[in-house]
Amino acid sequence: MRNVKLSDTDARIAHNTRAFALERLTDREFLEWARLLRSDQVAERAALREVLDFRIKDLAEPYAQAWRYLFEFWDAPFAETSYDRLLLKRDLKSRASQSETISLIVSAVRPWIRLESARKYEAFGHKRAKNPKTIGDIFWVSMEGGEPLTPDELDLKNNDDRDFLFELALALNASLLSGLNQASSIGMIAGDADATTWLVHRVYFVPPDQYPEGGGEPDRYKKGFAPTTKLLFATVEQLAKIDKKAALRSISSWDVDRWKLYKRLWAAAARGASLVDASEVADFLVNLDDREFWWTDAFPEFAELRALRWSSLSDRVRKRLERRLIKGEPPARLMKRLGKEQALQAVIRRSTIEMQRIKIAGGKLSETANNWLENARSAQTPQVPVTAVTQGFSVGVRAVVEYTVSDPTFDHIPSSRLIEELARHLSDEGWDSKGRAASEFIGRNPSLMLDLLSDAAYTPARAKVWQALGYSFRPADINATRATATPEDMTLVPSAFRMCTLITSTDTKILDAALSGLTSWISTWDRLLNGEDNYIRAWLTLWPLAVVQTNRSPKTDTPLRDRSFSTPVGNLVDGFIRAIPNFKPGALAREPWSDVLVGLAEATGEAALQACYQLMMFFDYFWSADRDWVKKHLLAALVDAKASSLELWQAFAETEHLPAREVLKEVGPRMIEVAAGSELPGDIRGALAQRAILATIIDMRDGQPAVIPSALIQQMLRIGGDTVRARALRAMKKYLKDPGGAPQPPADRFALIKELFENVWPKELTLSSPTLSDALADFPAAAGPKFADAADLILPFLAPFQCWSLWEYGVLDRSENGDKIGCVDTPRDAAAFLAILDKTVGSEEGAVVPNGLDRALRHISERNPQLENDVRYQRLLTLSRR
């Protein structure tokens, strides 16, 4: 990958990517763009790897870590680069070479880091930090893995090649260990909290005779760690039959003391006396902590080992374990969720189950333990008797199988009756197997459906089938273009074009009845139909119907953002935006695109509002494409927005680029008014404030008159609240770190921001707050060599806040480990840093002492030894020793 040979075209792409990336390696949005690079975008990936080879040590955390994770994510064997399942099996059977086969197997099952957009956190109600402090502020990080490979698929039971099995066991072990290390690095494993224990129901393949009704192998749908763990155990189990010593050497390499999964693997291997003797089992069972001893959901192998090897344990060990079983699980943890009485009953119930498990396996309890068990069972409400050693272990996913011998088929129905028969099975009341079968048949046979539906008058049956066709006839990948679509999807394109043509000539009554399905269809074919004229003609046919139907819908309290993507109008506007051509002057001036703009302009009511919201999100494009239309239909709506339409400002706040001066001159005063108000959420108002500050910075940099009067901006900062002020500071800090455009000396950048801060920032100290202090804390670090001067600006506004680490102050150097303090280089810088720490680290009860405070104080004393006698230094030193 790093030495990939590029074509001339790819070489130019790589050159442009390197130039584009150099100043954006710590840009969260740029990282998100890089995450979405496909495996076939070789030039872009190679260029980024090359840039990071030289720059990774200069990046601050968590950005350096994010790039390392990103490269691992690129190397993961995802579906787009993995073998097809059938091809995988074929290659495994061919056994071209031992190393190749083993590599193929490990690649198919190994766990790897998966990166998704950090916006996923917001779906769970969490807000991302304004300045990334952890990897989670940049990416949603999790562990993924391949599909399980079973011993039968590999024919392991018939494999007697000792060398192959031994090498495979070591390779799988290395893969599992790497995955566990990665899981620890992303926080899945931290101390006693080990999420991997819940990701594998059983570390070995459960035999079919233990499957519950409606179930199967407990981990058959599990990805991540289960495929590797289970295949590793199966390989060692088969190796033990051929070479016991080799199997023991493999087991001895398991990091049992460090990782719970290895500990569970060891317990599974120790169930049989041939591999592990009784003394080792005894030491293992005696030293289990309470969770491991009692939690069979997380550690079923431990309970199974105790039951199966009970008879081989010495009397002394059995008595010790019996005392622990009789005493029961410490009830404190159970009381939190069950209450005292029910918790005590649960403790006794768990003990009786584990004792019965031992007896079922053939183990004998002492007379004391037997008497306790009988008394406990008789005193309890009758429970389901324990009849198997593995009873009560997690069985994974169970399915309710619907046996339907009468599912409809439509292949042999005459075409004259097919529409009515399909409509009869398409239920209006909900989704059932008959409706699913009819819908799938319609989606698989679009050409036949279009033959039957063309030039036909309205009937309820035809309308229902048109609706189903809209929902079910769609490409497998709705984001693919003609350049990236699969051959299967490309074969559907002619039928899709034909459907566009038929929509324009179909009875309006049918279209109105089937509108939700047809507008959904429009929004799924936008990329493959590529904005062709007949696609737009179909869009124009459906648009007036969608406007009427959307305006007729009952009013809801759903936010405009959500409403704008869930109605017929929302579907059509979404399809239009995704289909519009790449920008060229006058691109929307010709028909039929100009007709779409007319249709959008003529919409009224709720439909117009929803359309305007989506269009506003792509304001930059439309401003460049048709400035007069935007002034009349988007800018006017934005300036006049009130009440429910005020949410249009949210869409404007999410546009990618800072609007042109002409736009800001038009909307600036109203934007300030909205940002300073209280009608919209703080994050939206903050985004608008950030744009206002950025516009002011650019005007000052370019020597132009302020497009937004400074008095208005100051008033916005004064009454807008902490979120608005914090986002305004973000704009200033961003300019200090990365001004964009032509390079500027740091001193000049700071001089500009200093002038802005002194002239615009409200001077009322009553505005100080922990939130504002948090936003100000890293302001001096952003100023770089002007650290002390920047500290003088902000010190009056600082107050104690929950500063958890030195990352809050932005002073950790951009070294690989982030363990060096930068920016604080001179005695004056050290004095300024001490003053910042003194004002932001409180001494009251419950005050947060930042991690690394002792390191910060050492750095301050190294740069300015006289400060060690300062009372502020001594106070902080005392706090750092708590």
Side-chain angles (χ1 to χ4, degrees):
M1 180 68 182
R2 295 177 187 271
N3 299 317
V4 63
K5 186 175 181 180
L6 302 176
S7 66
D8 291 342
T9 300
D10 282 344
R12 287 194 295 272
I13 294 173
H15 175 77
N16 292 336
T17 303
R18 282 191 292 270
F20 183 71
L22 281 173
E23 302 302 324
R24 294 174 173 82
L25 298 179
T26 56
D27 185 326
R28 183 157 52 184
E29 298 305 320
F30 182 70
L31 274 154
E32 178 63 18
W33 171 82
R35 182 186 71 83
L36 296 174
L37 289 174
R38 304 184 308 274
S39 62
D40 60 351
Q41 293 178 283
V42 177
E44 292 91 333
R45 287 189 173 191
L48 290 176
R49 286 185 187 273
E50 183 180 338
V51 169
L52 268 296
D53 278 345
F54 296 99
R55 296 288 299 274
I56 191 75
K57 292 184 179 180
D58 298 326
L59 294 184
E61 296 293 0
Y63 293 103
Q65 187 181 42
W67 281 107
R68 287 192 291 268
Y69 284 174
L70 181 60
F71 292 153
E72 292 185 32
F73 175 66
W74 281 352
D75 292 336
F78 288 116
E80 61 172 322
T81 56
S82 296
Y83 284 102
D84 179 85
R85 197 70 174 165
L86 295 177
L87 183 60
L88 171 64
K89 293 179 183 179
R90 188 202 70 183
D91 286 355
L92 289 173
K93 290 179 180 178
S94 68
R95 292 282 180 90
S97 73
Q98 179 167 303
S99 60
E100 193 174 33
T101 303
I102 289 172
S103 176
L104 185 61
I105 294 171
V106 173
S107 178
V109 300
R110 75 175 180 88
W112 65 79
I113 285 180
R114 181 179 183 84
L115 300 184
E116 299 175 78
S117 171
R119 291 189 181 277
K120 190 170 180 179
Y121 286 104
E122 297 171 0
F124 292 89
H126 303 297
K127 288 187 176 180
R128 293 187 293 168
K130 57 184 181 300
N131 295 316
K133 298 180 177 65
T134 68
I135 187 67
D137 295 327
I138 301 174
F139 293 127
W140 175 287
V141 189
S142 60
M143 296 299 296
E144 182 62 278
E147 298 284 346
L149 273 177
T150 66
D152 289 340
E153 289 177 298
L154 300 181
D155 199 23
L156 271 185
K157 293 181 180 179
N158 297 318
N159 192 323
D160 58 0
D161 186 338
R162 179 262 187 204
D163 294 339
F164 173 82
L165 293 171
F166 188 59
E167 185 178 347
L168 177 59
L170 293 180
L172 289 169
N173 180 44
S175 174
L176 177 59
L177 182 60
S178 174
L180 289 168
N181 286 330
Q182 289 178 333
S184 178
S185 71
I186 68 174
M188 284 183 66
I189 305 174
D192 290 336
D194 186 347
T196 64
T197 59
W198 303 100
L199 298 178
V200 185
H201 289 309
R202 215 86 64 87
V203 299
Y204 56 85
F205 286 99
V206 174
D209 59 9
Q210 292 185 24
Y211 295 169
E213 183 179 355
E217 215 292 324
D219 296 291
R220 63 193 183 280
Y221 300 121
K222 289 279 189 177
K223 297 183 179 181
F225 289 96
T228 305
T229 303
K230 297 170 90 75
L231 190 57
L232 171 59
F233 184 83
T235 303
V236 172
E237 191 175 39
Q238 179 65 14
L239 179 61
K241 298 176 183 177
I242 301 167
D243 188 336
K244 179 180 173 182
K245 290 183 179 179
L248 288 172
R249 281 197 296 275
S250 179
I251 292 172
S252 67
S253 68
W254 295 349
D255 197 358
V256 174
D257 295 331
R258 172 70 169 144
W259 307 112
K260 300 293 187 185
L261 271 181
Y262 277 125
K263 201 168 185 178
R264 291 174 60 188
L265 278 166
W266 186 94
R271 292 173 303 164
S274 61
L275 288 177
V276 181
D277 69 34
S279 61
E280 292 181 85
V281 174
D283 289 341
F284 180 87
L285 293 174
V286 165
N287 290 300
L288 292 177
D289 63 33
D290 285 329
R291 294 185 182 186
E292 296 168 338
F293 192 91
W294 293 105
W295 287 16
T296 55
D297 283 342
F299 308 102
E301 297 83 8
F302 299 169
E304 189 178 7
L305 173 64
R306 181 172 57 227
L308 293 175
R309 296 296 300 274
W310 184 265
S311 298
S312 67
L313 303 176
S314 67
D315 290 342
R316 179 182 60 83
V317 172
R318 286 202 298 266
K319 287 181 181 178
R320 186 172 177 180
L321 294 175
E322 280 183 351
R323 287 197 297 270
R324 191 171 183 181
L325 287 168
I326 291 172
K327 183 179 179 181
E329 177 184 6
R333 192 179 294 110
L334 297 175
M335 286 181 183
K336 293 180 181 179
R337 57 188 178 87
L338 297 179
K340 182 176 181 181
E341 185 175 344
Q342 289 188 353
L344 294 175
Q345 291 177 359
V347 166
I348 296 173
R349 186 162 56 250
R350 288 192 179 187
S351 293
T352 61
I353 289 173
E354 295 311 314
M355 287 187 177
Q356 289 179 80
R357 201 186 305 278
I358 291 169
K359 296 186 73 172
I360 288 294
K364 293 184 179 180
L365 300 175
S366 67
E367 183 178 353
T368 301
N370 266 319
N371 290 338
W372 183 91
L373 177 59
E374 292 304 318
N375 290 335
R377 292 182 64 184
S378 61
Q380 282 191 313
T381 304
Q383 303 291 326
V384 176
V386 177
T387 59
V389 172
T390 58
Q391 185 170 325
F393 293 171
S394 176
V395 296
V397 176
R398 293 172 61 188
V400 177
V401 181
E402 183 181 1
Y403 296 99
T404 54
V405 297
S406 59
D407 270 359
T409 58
F410 307 95
D411 295 319
H412 305 296
I413 296 175
S415 58
S416 60
R417 294 196 298 111
L418 185 55
I419 293 296
E420 285 70 20
E421 189 67 18
L422 287 167
R424 188 170 66 84
H425 288 91
L426 292 169
S427 172
D428 292 325
E429 304 300 324
W431 191 255
D432 56 22
S433 60
K434 293 181 179 180
R436 181 168 57 247
S439 180
E440 289 174 355
F441 179 86
I442 292 169
R444 288 195 306 268
N445 298 278
S447 182
L448 173 62
M449 293 298 103
L450 293 173
D451 286 341
L452 298 176
L453 292 170
S454 60
D455 300 323
Y458 170 83
T459 67
R462 290 193 184 101
K464 190 176 286 188
V465 172
W466 264 109
Q467 175 98 305
L469 182 62
Y471 282 127
S472 58
F473 172 37
R474 56 187 60 207
D477 184 356
I478 63 174
N479 294 310
T481 64
R482 294 188 197 176
T484 60
T486 63
E488 291 77 13
D489 279 349
M490 286 303 297
T491 61
L492 300 176
V493 170
S495 293
F497 275 129
R498 184 184 174 203
M499 184 162 167
C500 289
T501 303
L502 283 181
I503 287 174
T504 61
S505 60
T506 296
D507 188 335
T508 301
K509 191 174 181 181
I510 289 180
L511 298 181
D512 192 54
L515 190 63
S516 60
L518 294 176
T519 55
S520 174
W521 183 86
I522 286 284
S523 69
T524 58
W525 279 95
D526 40 34
R527 294 288 174 87
L528 280 178
L529 299 189
N530 203 30
E532 295 283 352
D533 285 2
N534 48 359
Y535 171 82
I536 298 302
R537 295 299 179 198
W539 191 99
L540 289 166
T541 301
L542 297 174
W543 177 251
L545 302 174
V547 170
V548 171
Q549 203 168 108
T550 299
N551 285 339
R552 201 167 51 209
S553 300
K555 300 297 182 184
T556 68
D557 295 330
T558 307
L560 177 58
R561 179 187 181 89
D562 297 336
R563 300 199 311 270
S564 297
F565 292 91
S566 59
T567 63
V569 159
N571 283 332
L572 289 178
V573 177
D574 183 46
F576 162 66
I577 290 174
R578 284 163 53 98
I580 53 181
N582 293 330
F583 172 71
K584 294 178 183 177
L588 301 180
R590 68 174 182 85
E591 294 182 348
W593 296 100
S594 57
D595 296 332
V596 173
L597 295 184
V598 171
L600 290 167
E602 291 177 348
T604 58
E606 173 70 11
L609 188 60
Q610 292 183 16
C612 190
Y613 186 94
Q614 286 201 51
L615 296 172
M616 198 73 72
M617 295 177 69
F618 297 88
F619 183 92
D620 304 326
Y621 174 88
F622 290 105
W623 176 258
S624 301
D626 194 327
R627 192 162 300 186
D628 292 336
W629 190 90
V630 169
K631 286 181 179 179
K632 185 175 181 180
H633 300 290
L634 294 187
L635 280 187
L638 197 61
V639 173
D640 296 337
K642 295 178 181 177
S644 61
S645 64
L646 198 65
E647 292 179 72
L648 291 176
W649 283 100
Q650 179 177 2
F652 185 75
E654 293 178 357
T655 52
E656 185 175 357
H657 303 290
L658 187 68
R661 278 181 59 83
E662 184 178 351
V663 174
L664 289 172
K665 189 176 295 184
E666 182 77 20
V667 304
R670 178 61 175 146
M671 182 170 76
I672 294 296
E673 182 183 348
V674 173
S678 58
E679 293 90 347
L680 292 178
D683 58 337
I684 300 173
R685 296 187 294 107
L688 295 173
Q690 186 172 350
R691 285 169 176 269
I693 295 294
L694 283 172
T696 301
I697 290 172
I698 292 173
D699 288 340
M700 293 176 67
R701 181 198 68 189
D702 297 342
Q704 296 186 358
V707 69
I708 303 175
S710 59
L712 289 180
I713 291 182
Q714 187 177 68
Q715 188 68 358
M716 173 192 73
L717 294 173
R718 180 174 287 112
I719 66 177
D722 283 341
T723 302
V724 165
R725 288 187 282 271
R727 289 293 292 268
L729 284 168
R730 183 188 299 184
M732 297 182 194
K733 291 182 288 188
K734 179 178 175 61
Y735 178 75
L736 287 172
K737 295 177 182 178
D738 180 17
Q744 294 175 281
D748 291 350
R749 299 202 301 269
F750 176 72
L752 187 153
I753 295 300
K754 180 181 179 183
E755 180 185 352
L756 175 63
F757 195 91
E758 290 178 336
N759 294 337
V760 176
W761 195 263
K763 300 303 184 288
E764 294 91 335
L765 298 183
T766 54
L767 298 178
S768 297
S769 69
T771 300
L772 180 61
S773 191
D774 187 5
L776 285 166
D778 61 344
F779 184 89
K786 293 292 184 178
F787 184 94
D789 292 330
D792 291 340
L793 284 178
I794 68 167
L795 278 171
F797 304 98
L798 293 180
F801 70 98
Q802 290 189 329
C803 40
W804 297 101
S805 76
L806 296 185
W807 288 111
E808 311 279 355
Y809 300 93
V811 296
L812 290 183
D813 197 4
R814 298 185 174 192
S815 61
E816 184 174 354
N817 298 319
D819 56 358
K820 295 181 181 178
I821 294 177
C823 304
V824 185
D825 300 324
T826 67
R828 184 168 173 240
D829 291 340
F833 190 28
L834 177 62
I836 293 171
L837 290 171
D838 178 60
K839 296 206 72 173
T840 56
V841 180
S843 299
E844 70 279 5
E845 184 69 25
V848 175
V849 177
N851 182 34
L853 179 60
D854 54 341
R855 193 191 331 164
L857 294 174
R858 284 197 302 271
H859 186 85
I860 289 170
S861 66
E862 289 171 359
R863 296 296 185 272
N864 191 342
Q866 295 180 356
L867 292 174
E868 291 186 16
N869 299 321
D870 193 298
V871 65
R872 299 170 299 173
Y873 185 98
Q874 293 299 320
R875 180 184 77 85
L876 293 171
L877 184 63
T878 302
L879 288 177
S880 71
R881 292 171 175 171
R882 285 184 180 176

